[in-house]
């Protein structure tokens, strides 16, 4: 084992250095639950602690996350720091793979997929074949000897204040804990109070986490120590994995500030006795700077965090954190009708949703999605991974990485329409960083210009094919991500930003201009190799076999011209050409790109009447597949349209009907959006109900069958938006897929392409009032589906009718236009 020096210090963090703390949090107490006076679209609450990690309540500031169990005899708060992964900077680029590409393409075109799979596996996979894992950092345990038997128990998450709380009575005393993760101060704060003085006593331990599936002599380790007479800390390192040395060092530290009573530390335990109130501050950091720089000083960082809050009261820290959070959260809000079930505990509310109408539960799901995005993706942080920033395992499902054949993209589906453009910055930065190894992979693996990225990456931004050819032949992961960069421009019309990301767009285009090949039978330009994630085709040459790369008896998905590829590249080329127009550059090259786009193999309808998933009219080996890859063009893409391309719509419906309304959380979220794009709100709502029943944990975090993931949560939030407002067709389409149970409501702060922000109200399924803020002065094309009068500052605005039954009018930057429905 390579030894490292773990520096121990008792630092400046001492209770006596602190100003007097406020005795009570400003977060509402549980009386608002008892009196049923809370807003059921912004509060989740329960009558028992979390039994397992998947039931705990998440808090986060984009970098530091916590899952709060809300226990009484023992509280567990599971802690994460977003940059704690296995390994260190590395490259998975393998030189010389491009030499074998022509033979692989020939084998695929000649109907020999297994031979092509084997050749790709031997020569074009990245190495290591797998990638690094996101890790759990620590667990804070609080032990309360006299709080085993309790009454009046409640725990809740207040989305308005980003605070998780628990309250109960024991031996005649009411105890309360509040937990929040502060973005301004970069600490997690735990506030313990009681309604009688001198009643707070507990023992605390801050525990590191080991990879329990490996020996105690594994390469990751930690040390637990006390800090003076007031704190605890864990110092450790990341694990070596797949031959990559663990080079991350971390410090996690807890400091306690009691009010009254006594405090002392013994070994790695902290004891508080007879305090009136206690505030616990948790800070953590690693030596990570960026994907190829680990020169940071985790000890200095943690000391700086504590120094920054040294003279602040809990009230000051809490108020600053809430104000900062609300500057994002309060930009948008969805309100739907409340019923008697709306005020039930959230788990019981969800259980009753199947048979009892509760429209505001959809509003809670939408608001929770925005809460989760703010909590896991802030400017300057890493992008939200498969679990956001919350992970209790050293071996999480799919390594809790960035899976880019649907999941990472879905995480950011609601970011622009949800008025959270700022929160897209981590994703945008990640895509920029991927172009580093992405250019090397393009050159070495494909002999192409530009950059390419496949279906997975990690903290270290590796870009080569991984896992095996069944997954690794997905060459459009980077191209799909660039469509998110373009969407950010469409919502903001920020030309400086477009200048900044233009090289990323162009680099992706350059790769596919080299990679696309003419089909031997003249069917158009196609990708080769290709796959449709993660669905095996059923056709000549496709069968289960023992794969030497994965060591599994499995299938191959390798093919040419998967429909998803063709649709993503069709969008990519169009977006790039538009960018050249806006920026007045590379016009001659853009013409070549548009010419190539015109020759891309278009969507096909198969012999069974459904939209083909592959260039060939294959069946599928897995009948009810969770992915809807070949429907990218309908949502989130813009290739297939109920208005512009009706010839493909029946084929889309046939796919959706064949695969049904079930599946994983992310699959159901995707289906909600697809049916909304087909203007069927009742079907979208039916799928939402099934999601709540079968694929959502009690705090509305999504399942992927069983493992917790955040993608479905975000996909559902995006689907709710698409049911109420769409803007991808060049018009702001209001209530395009409104289910009957949402016949009245209000949606404030929702954003549309063209840099518009809307506050909209409707009643009896009809728009009554809309306020449209124009941020960039574009022509507003809007379809409220009812006659309206338009004014600005009390002056009537001239409008023109549009072909789809809507209206258009000119706008000025910064002005707000009011649309009032005429009496019917």
């Amino acid at each position: 084992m390579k030894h490292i020096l773990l520096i121990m210090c008792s630092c400046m963090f001492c209770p006596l250095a602190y100003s007097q703390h406020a005795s009570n949090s400003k977060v509402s107490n549980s009386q608002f639950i008892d009196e049923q006076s809370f807003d059921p679209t912004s509060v989740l609450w329960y009558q028992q602690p979390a039994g397992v990690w998947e039931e705990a309540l998440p808090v986060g500031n984009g970098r530091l996350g916590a899952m709060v169990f809300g226990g009484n005899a023992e509280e567990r708060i599971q802690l994460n720091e977003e940059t704690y992964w296995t390994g260190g900077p590395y490259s998975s680029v393998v030189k010389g793979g491009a030499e074998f590409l022509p033979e692989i393409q020939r084998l695929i075109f000649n109907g020999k997929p297994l031979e092509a799979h084997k050749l790709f596996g031997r020569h074009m996979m990245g190495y290591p074949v797998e990638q690094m894992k996101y890790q759990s950092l620590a667990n804070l345990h609080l032990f309360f000897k006299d709080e085993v038997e309790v009454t009046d128990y409640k725990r809740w998450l207040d989305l308005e204040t980003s605070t998780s709380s628990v309250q109960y009575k024991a031996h005649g005393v009411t105890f309360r804990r509040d937990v929040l993760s502060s973005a301004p101060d970069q600490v997690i704060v735990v506030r313990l109070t009681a309604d009688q003085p001198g009643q707070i006593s507990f023992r605390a331990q801050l525990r590191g986490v080991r990879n329990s599936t490996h020996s105690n002599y594994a390469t990751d380790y930690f040390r637990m120590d006390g800090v003076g007479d007031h704190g605890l800390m864990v110092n450790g390192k990341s694990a070596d994995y797949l031959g990559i040395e663990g080079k991350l060092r971390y410090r996690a530290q807890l400091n306690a500030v009691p009010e009254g009573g006594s405090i002392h530390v013994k070994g790695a335990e902290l004891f508080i006795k007879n305090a009136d109130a206690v505030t616990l501050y948790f800070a953590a950091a690693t030596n990570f700077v960026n994907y190829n720089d680990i020169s940071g000083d985790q000890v200095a960082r943690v000391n700086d965090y504590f120094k920054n809050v040294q003279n602040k009261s809990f009230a000051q820290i809490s108020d600053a954190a809430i104000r900062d959070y609300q500057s994002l959260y309060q930009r948008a809000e969805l309100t739907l009708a409340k019923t008697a079930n709306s005020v039930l505990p959230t788990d019981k509310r969800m259980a009753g949703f199947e048979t009892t109408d509760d429209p505001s539960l959809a509003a809670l799901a939408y608001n929770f999605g925005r809460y989760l995005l703010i909590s896991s993706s802030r400017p300057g942080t890493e992008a939200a991974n498969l679990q956001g920033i919350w992970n209790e395992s050293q071996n999480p499902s799919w390594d809790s990485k960035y899976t880019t054949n649907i999941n990472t993209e879905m995480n950011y589906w609601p970011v622009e329409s949800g008025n959270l453009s700022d929160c897209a910055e981590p994703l945008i930065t990640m895509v920029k960083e991927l172009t580093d190894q992405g250019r090397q992979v393009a050159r070495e693996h494909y002999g192409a210009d530009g950059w390419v990225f496949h279906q997975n990456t990690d903290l270290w931004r590796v870009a080569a094919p991984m896992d095996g050819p069944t997954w690794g032949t997905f060459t459009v992961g980077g191209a799909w991500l660039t469509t998110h960069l373009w969407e950010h421009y469409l919502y903001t019309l920020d030309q400086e930003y477009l200048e900044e990301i233009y090289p990323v767009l162009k680099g992706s285009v350059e790769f596919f201009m080299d990679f696309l090949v003419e089909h031997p039978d003249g069917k158009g330009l196609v990708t080769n190799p290709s796959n449709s994630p993660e669905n095996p085709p059923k056709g000549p040459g496709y069968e289960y076999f023992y794969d030497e790369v994965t060591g599994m008896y499995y299938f191959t998905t390798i093919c040419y011209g998967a429909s998803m590829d063709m649709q993503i590249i069709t969008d990519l080329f169009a977006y790039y050409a538009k960018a050249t127009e806006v920026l007045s550059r590379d016009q001659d090259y853009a013409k070549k790109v548009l010419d190539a786009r015109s020759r891309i193999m278009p969507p096909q309808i198969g012999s069974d009447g459904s939209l083909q998933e592959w260039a060939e009219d294959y069946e599928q080996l897995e009948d009810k597949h969770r992915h809807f890859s070949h429907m990218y063009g309908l949502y989130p893409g813009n290739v297939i349209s109920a208005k512009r391309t009706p010839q493909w719509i029946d084929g889309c419906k046939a796919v959706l009907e064949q695969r049904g309304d079930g599946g994983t959380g992310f699959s159901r979220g995707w289906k909600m959006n697809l049916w909304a794009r087909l203007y069927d709100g009742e079907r979208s709502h039916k799928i939402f109900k099934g999601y709540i029943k079968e694929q959502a944990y009690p705090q509305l975090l999504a399942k992927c069958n069983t493992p917790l993931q955040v993608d479905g949560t975000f996909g559902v939030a995006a689907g709710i938006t698409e049911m109420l407002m769409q803007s991808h067709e060049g018009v702001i389409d209001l209530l395009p897929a409104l289910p009957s149970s949402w016949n009245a409501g209000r949606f404030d702060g929702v954003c549309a392409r063209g840099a518009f922000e809307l506050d909209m109200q409707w009643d009896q399924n009809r728009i009554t009032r809309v306020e449209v803020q124009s941020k960039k002065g574009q022509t507003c094309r809007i379809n409220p589906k009812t006659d309206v009068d338009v004014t600005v500052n009390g002056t009537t605005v001239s409008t023109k009718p549009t072909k789809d039954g809507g209206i258009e009018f000119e706008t000025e930057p910064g002005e707000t236009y009011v649309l009032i429905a005429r009496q019917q």
Side-chain angles (χ1 to χ4, degrees), residues 168-376:
Y168 51 80
K169 287 185 179 180
H171 50 82
V173 179
T174 297
F175 294 93
R176 166 77 176 267
R177 288 192 302 278
D178 299 306
V179 183
L180 62 85
S181 187
S182 166
D185 289 306
Q186 289 297 305
V187 292
I188 292 174
V189 189
V190 183
R191 176 73 171 167
L192 300 94
T193 56
D195 68 348
Q196 297 177 30
Q199 295 296 317
I200 299 177
S201 300
F202 62 88
R203 172 172 60 93
Q205 190 168 50
L206 185 63
R207 299 174 179 174
V209 186
R210 288 296 304 277
N211 194 332
S212 60
T213 62
H214 295 293
S215 159
N216 286 332
Y217 300 97
T219 58
D220 62 324
Y221 63 88
F222 59 82
R223 297 177 184 175
M224 298 161 49
D225 292 281
V227 181
D229 61 358
H230 59 272
L232 304 168
M233 67 179 173
V234 178
N235 292 274
K237 70 174 288 290
S238 61
D240 302 349
Y241 186 56
L242 302 174
I244 308 302
E245 182 183 353
K247 293 186 176 181
L248 283 175
R249 306 296 185 262
Y250 70 86
R251 168 166 288 192
Q253 186 167 330
L254 180 80
N255 289 292
V257 181
E259 296 165 32
S262 64
I263 180 173
H264 73 277
V265 171
K266 182 179 181 182
E269 293 185 316
L270 180 146
F271 298 84
I272 299 279
K273 187 174 182 181
N274 300 332
D276 300 330
V278 180
T279 307
L280 305 177
Y281 297 88
F282 174 81
T286 73
N287 60 332
F288 179 87
V289 177
N290 60 45
Y291 67 100
N292 59 11
D293 183 351
I294 49 168
S295 64
D297 185 335
Q298 71 279 10
V299 174
R301 286 173 170 175
V302 168
N303 285 344
D304 285 346
Y305 294 140
F306 283 135
K307 184 177 181 181
N308 180 56
V309 299
Q310 182 175 349
N311 295 311
K312 297 178 182 178
S313 70
F314 168 73
Q316 290 173 316
I317 293 171
S318 173
D319 288 350
I322 292 171
R323 282 196 306 271
D324 171 78
Y325 164 78
Q326 288 180 342
S327 71
L328 295 166
Y329 182 77
Q330 291 183 344
R331 292 179 188 174
E333 183 178 13
L334 174 61
T335 304
L336 295 171
K338 304 167 188 176
T339 67
N341 272 33
S342 300
V343 295
L344 292 176
T346 306
D347 50 346
K348 296 179 180 179
R349 183 181 182 185
M350 292 169 67
F353 186 51
E354 184 179 12
T355 57
T356 304
D357 197 23
D358 184 2
S360 68
L361 183 56
L364 179 65
Y366 174 79
N367 294 333
F368 179 72
R370 292 184 70 256
Y371 163 82
L372 209 67
L373 193 52
I374 297 167
S375 301
S376 60

Side-chain angles (χ1 to χ4, degrees), residues 62 368-378 384 390 411-416 420 423-424 714:
F368 179 72
R370 292 184 70 256
Y371 163 82
L372 209 67
L373 193 52
I374 297 167
S375 301
S376 60
S377 184
R378 291 286 199 106
W390 302 277
N411 284 0
Y412 287 88
W413 282 357
V415 70
E416 303 294 346
L420 295 174
C423 295
F714 294 132

